[in-house]
Amino acid sequence: MTTRQIHSWLTDMDGVLVHEGTALPGAPEFVRALREADRPFLILTNNSIYTARDLRARLAATGIDVPEGAIWTSALATAQFLADQVPDGSAYAIGEAGLTTALYEIGYTLTESDPDYVVLGETRTYSFEAITRAIRLIKGGARFIATNPDVTGPSPEGDLPATGAVAAMITAATGRQPYFVGKPNPMMFRSALNRIDAHSETTAMIGDRMDTDVVAGIEAGLQTFLVLTGSTSASDVEKFPFRPNHVVDSIANLVDLV
């Protein structure tokens, strides 16, 4: 496998490191190799429900040991984006602790009264009352931000409507499109690079989805690796007008590159 020099790593979580609460082959070894080599790295996820501390505990339960600071969620990226745009601003947030904690810790005030932004994230139970309030606030002048564009999320019973689907409902009611911060927006990758003080020329992205991980990695100027342990099969790759730099069976194939 011919690769340009890789100093830093970004990797997706679901479908790359874990699947339904179980570590995928090579994932604990890959993370251990990164830590032993003192390589800067971040684990990226579009899931805005959980805090980094929650996700650290979930990964630890599968045998993958990472520090809290090595996890970068769409909620954290959204909070950073808002702080860069309007420092110490205000927001009406629809979401779980992952989003509200990120906004609070970046210095934002959470309010239902004339906020700078309406911020839509993921939640297990979308409230029609909260969505109605969001619509009225956006019509009243609040700017519309969403953590990620995923339209469905998994559950044991099947797909659930996720941020992108609820955002579409709010757009239909307001005529206003949200700005999505999470993947495939390369903004999330750039904020991740800034977080670990990495340069795109010497950073690689590992993902399991062509339409989010790989395309955003390409647009952010990263070297890209597609693993086949998630939602994309080898035959799917040919359907896209862009290609990853490398396609491998699993993250186990990348341990020696660290």
Side-chain angles (χ1 to χ4, degrees):
M1 190 185 301
T2 305
T3 64
R4 64 178 191 244
Q5 184 184 8
I6 302 170
H7 178 68
S8 312
W9 293 82
L10 304 179
T11 176
D12 185 37
M13 188 168 69
D14 294 308
V16 178
L17 299 177
V18 293
H19 176 67
E20 292 183 356
T22 303
L24 286 164
E29 293 81 2
F30 181 78
V31 171
R32 192 178 309 122
L34 289 174
R35 298 190 71 181
E36 289 174 355
D38 202 24
R39 295 288 190 196
F41 75 97
L42 276 182
I43 296 168
L44 274 56
T45 176
N46 261 359
N47 189 320
S48 65
I49 290 178
Y50 303 107
T51 65
R53 188 173 303 165
D54 297 333
L55 292 173
R56 182 200 177 286
R58 284 170 166 257
L59 288 169
T62 72
I64 300 171
D65 184 25
V66 296
E68 192 178 320
I71 296 169
W72 191 239
T73 70
S74 64
L76 291 168
T78 298
Q80 185 62 61
F81 172 76
L82 294 183
D84 292 342
Q85 292 283 306
V86 180
D88 301 318
S90 60
Y92 176 67
I94 298 177
E96 304 267 345
L99 178 59
T100 55
T101 302
L103 291 169
Y104 176 78
E105 290 184 346
I106 210 80
Y108 257 60
T109 301
L110 301 180
T111 180
E112 298 182 1
S113 176
D114 194 28
D116 296 313
Y117 294 97
V118 165
V119 185
L120 176 67
E122 211 136 339
T123 173
R124 301 174 191 84
T125 53
Y126 284 105
S127 153
F128 193 75
E129 183 181 347
I131 293 168
T132 301
R133 183 169 294 280
I135 288 167
R136 290 172 181 166
L137 290 170
I138 291 166
K139 283 191 167 184
R143 285 156 283 188
F144 186 18
I145 298 284
T147 56
N148 63 288
D150 304 54
V151 292
T152 60
S155 83
E157 294 78 34
D159 285 348
L160 295 170
T163 311
V166 179
M169 187 196 323
I170 294 173
T171 294
T174 61
R176 300 273 293 281
Q177 294 277 353
Y179 180 71
F180 292 107
V181 176
K183 298 179 292 181
N185 188 345
M187 172 75 69
M188 184 167 175
F189 285 42
R190 293 196 187 106
S191 64
L193 291 173
N194 290 339
R195 176 133 175 135
I196 58 173
D197 197 23
H199 193 281
S200 58
E201 282 293 311
T202 54
T203 303
M205 172 65 196
I206 310 166
D208 71 309
R209 289 183 62 117
M210 289 288 288
D211 57 352
T212 55
D213 305 316
V214 171
V215 70
I218 291 169
E219 290 179 2
L222 310 180
Q223 191 168 175
T224 53
F225 292 86
L226 177 75
V227 296
L228 301 177
T229 46
S231 61
T232 303
S233 67
S235 60
D236 290 334
V237 177
E238 302 302 326
K239 300 173 186 174
F240 291 86
F242 49 86
R243 288 189 61 84
N245 295 106
H246 305 280
V247 180
V248 297
D249 290 333
S250 76
I251 201 166
N253 298 100
L254 305 180
V255 176
D256 290 343
L257 291 183
V258 177

